[in-house]
Amino acid sequence: MPLASTEIVAPDVFWVGSIDWSVRVFHGYHTDEGTSYNAYLLMDEDVTLIDTVKQQFSQELVERITQVTSLDSVKYIIMNHAENDHSGALPYLMSLLKNASIVTNKICMEHLLLLYPELNLYPFKIVNNSTPLVLKSHTIQFLQVPMLHWPDSMFSYCPEISTLFSNDGFGQHIACSERFVDQISLQDHLLNLMREYTANILGPFQHPLQTALQHASNLTIHTILTGHGCSWRGGTLQLALAEYDLFSKNAQLKKKLTVMFQSLNGSVKQAAQIIANGTTNQVKIHDLQVSDFTKCALNCYDSEFLAFGSPTVYEQMTPLVEGIIQYLKGLHLIKGRKVILFGSFCWLDKAVNQMKKMVEQAGGVVIAEITFKMAIDNKTNQQILESLKLLV
Ligand code: FEO
């Protein structure tokens, strides 16, 4: 089957990546719209590839490169990040290239050699923030952005074309034939996908993000070419930068309440409904029996207020509630939020106290604990409504 052609995405730069239309679980979260693994070929006399693709798309990468140039002409492969969605094709590619060196930072080289010991056969060129790669007609500067998304992560910047190659940064998981956000009419949707990606991947790394943005503010950037999904240029560039700036300062939080619960006999669900109907804040309800953690994280991303509800089952909170608190804790999406806890019981009242311990360990501030035996009476109803007044 013929491949969709490569595409010029910046002066002298061709997109040579792959679109993964089928992937629905990526990095432990749900990618309902697939994703792409973006790689870029910078056409200089010293031809330079920036990032590769997932292993299963190795042949596509090779075919796209050869649509533009010969494999023998590739002199450098810049690896901005070692994770396999960007590096999986590297061993196969290196086995085909006769004249290429791998350009990356020291930590990334160590990670690549752990993942693919066979790369030991090939030359590496180690770079850092103060050692640019000087090509015949272009310069590539490096901006190490540790923890965006791994300690090895870096951005590459080409000043001659004012282009930042951001790898995981500014990405979204979407499979589409368009390469830029401005080619898609639903730009808010893409911004929301970037938020979902940020919440589920970069959640714990707000501080490194601020550092990266400070470095990037010294650069003239006309285009950000991402490692996943659509890229940013023109008017949309500011949308992406502004969203990251807000997130890095925790300023994306708003008067929004996200409620997550699991109900067995209906009373906890009834309590969630009372909360939804009683709050004056924007509200989002996730019944964990039918909601996935990915979407919970997306809604917690900008929620100043959270609520968790669980019955006590065999002396414990339910597994789904325990799971979501654990998931959000890892992503730092409970930290600093005001939290309401509610739960039912039949013979032992345990769940709320267990949730409280976990939420407080995650940095949440518990402002109300509501427990009730089997069914919601008028007193419980009133307690719930009173707790909502604390969400200010
Ligand atoms: Fe897209 Fe951290 O890999």
Side-chain angles (χ1 to χ4, degrees):
M1 190 172 75
L3 287 171
S5 63
T6 59
E7 185 174 331
I8 295 180
V9 288
D12 307 318
V13 180
F14 288 79
W15 176 84
V16 289
S18 297
I19 302 171
D20 191 342
W21 299 95
S22 301
V23 65
R24 288 295 179 270
V25 179
F26 181 100
H27 209 285
Y29 80 93
H30 291 164
T31 48
D32 300 338
E33 300 184 49
T35 193
S36 67
Y37 314 109
N38 298 331
Y40 301 99
L41 196 65
L42 174 61
M43 291 307 294
D44 185 283
E45 202 174 319
D46 295 332
V47 175
T48 299
L49 178 69
I50 296 148
D51 295 323
T52 76
V53 298
K54 211 170 186 176
Q55 189 269 341
Q56 72 203 71
F57 296 96
S58 300
Q59 192 55 37
E60 272 196 28
L61 174 66
V62 168
E63 289 179 33
R64 286 208 165 89
I65 292 171
T66 54
Q67 285 179 16
V68 181
T69 188
S70 70
L71 293 181
D72 288 352
S73 71
V74 178
K75 186 164 182 186
Y76 298 113
I77 302 179
I78 294 173
M79 293 302 303
N80 282 316
H81 179 27
E83 195 165 10
N84 64 351
D85 50 320
H86 306 285
S87 67
L90 186 60
Y92 175 64
L93 192 58
M94 288 306 292
S95 74
L96 301 179
L97 301 181
K98 293 198 179 83
N99 303 307
S101 302
I102 301 166
V103 179
T104 192
N105 61 73
K106 186 168 178 292
I107 299 172
C108 193
M109 179 185 75
E110 289 167 2
H111 288 173
L112 288 170
L113 289 172
L114 286 168
L115 291 169
Y116 317 106
E118 63 270 38
L119 291 178
N120 201 27
L121 297 170
Y122 305 111
F124 277 83
K125 182 177 174 61
I126 300 302
V127 294
N128 58 39
N129 286 6
S130 53
T131 53
L133 177 68
V134 180
L135 309 175
K136 291 288 189 304
S137 312
H138 301 82
T139 312
I140 305 290
Q141 299 168 0
F142 301 100
L143 184 58
Q144 288 176 270
V145 287
M147 305 318 296
L148 295 178
H149 153 233
W150 279 5
D152 57 38
S153 294
M154 66 181 189
F155 295 165
S156 297
Y157 173 69
C158 181
E160 289 83 4
I161 55 172
S162 302
T163 296
L164 186 74
F165 300 88
S166 64
N167 194 267
D168 276 344
F170 302 100
Q172 335 86 47
H173 283 313
I174 181 169
C176 59
S177 52
E178 294 84 357
R179 301 272 62 84
F180 286 97
V181 172
D182 60 72
Q183 295 169 321
I184 289 182
S185 55
L186 294 171
Q187 291 177 9
D188 281 351
H189 179 58
L190 285 187
L191 206 51
N192 217 38
L193 287 176
M194 189 178 87
R195 291 184 188 115
E196 183 173 283
Y197 181 95
T198 306
N200 283 278
I201 290 279
L202 303 179
F205 308 130
Q206 283 172 302
H207 182 66
L209 192 52
Q210 188 60 31
T211 307
L213 289 171
Q214 279 166 2
H215 288 308
S217 68
N218 297 322
L219 307 174
T220 300
I221 299 174
H222 293 156
T223 307
I224 295 177
L225 295 177
T226 63
H228 296 292
C230 290
S231 291
W232 307 86
R233 66 182 175 187
T236 65
L237 196 60
Q238 282 312 314
L239 293 177
L241 290 167
E243 185 65 33
Y244 265 32
D245 188 49
L246 283 177
F247 175 65
S248 71
K249 298 170 181 164
N250 228 18
Q252 86 288 2
L253 293 177
K254 57 190 180 189
K255 303 292 179 195
K256 173 179 167 184
L257 168 63
T258 296
V259 184
M260 293 152 280
F261 71 93
Q262 185 175 5
S263 187
L264 299 188
N265 291 319
S267 59
V268 168
K269 185 173 186 174
Q270 189 186 351
Q273 203 59 52
I274 293 168
I275 290 172
N277 292 337
T279 186
T280 54
N281 293 294
Q282 181 186 349
V283 68
K284 194 74 188 176
I285 303 286
H286 287 286
D287 180 342
L288 296 170
Q289 293 285 170
V290 292
S291 291
D292 70 47
F293 286 8
T294 305
K295 292 291 184 280
C296 292
L298 169 63
N299 279 299
C300 292
Y301 168 84
D302 60 357
S303 289
E304 203 172 312
F305 313 127
L306 308 178
F308 296 99
S310 171
T312 299
V313 186
Y314 307 121
E315 302 190 23
Q316 300 183 94
M317 73 181 101
T318 67
L320 288 176
V321 172
E322 185 174 8
I324 190 62
I325 296 174
Q326 194 70 27
Y327 185 71
L328 296 173
K329 178 188 174 192
L331 294 168
H332 292 202
L333 291 173
I334 296 177
K335 193 175 176 183
R337 270 72 165 181
K338 291 182 179 175
V339 182
I340 292 174
L341 302 174
F342 57 101
S344 65
F345 64 96
C346 182
W347 63 95
L348 273 176
D349 180 9
K350 296 269 191 182
V352 166
N353 199 39
Q354 290 169 0
M355 288 191 286
K356 183 180 182 187
K357 282 184 186 154
M358 286 187 74
V359 164
E360 289 181 343
Q361 280 175 0
V365 180
V366 175
I367 58 165
E369 302 162 54
I370 302 157
T371 64
F372 51 93
K373 184 160 181 165
M374 299 178 76
I376 296 173
D377 58 12
N378 284 342
K379 183 177 158 221
T380 306
N381 193 78
Q382 197 53 38
Q383 267 186 310
I384 294 171
L385 295 177
E386 287 299 318
S387 74
L388 296 175
K389 293 178 184 169
L390 302 173
L391 299 180
V392 290

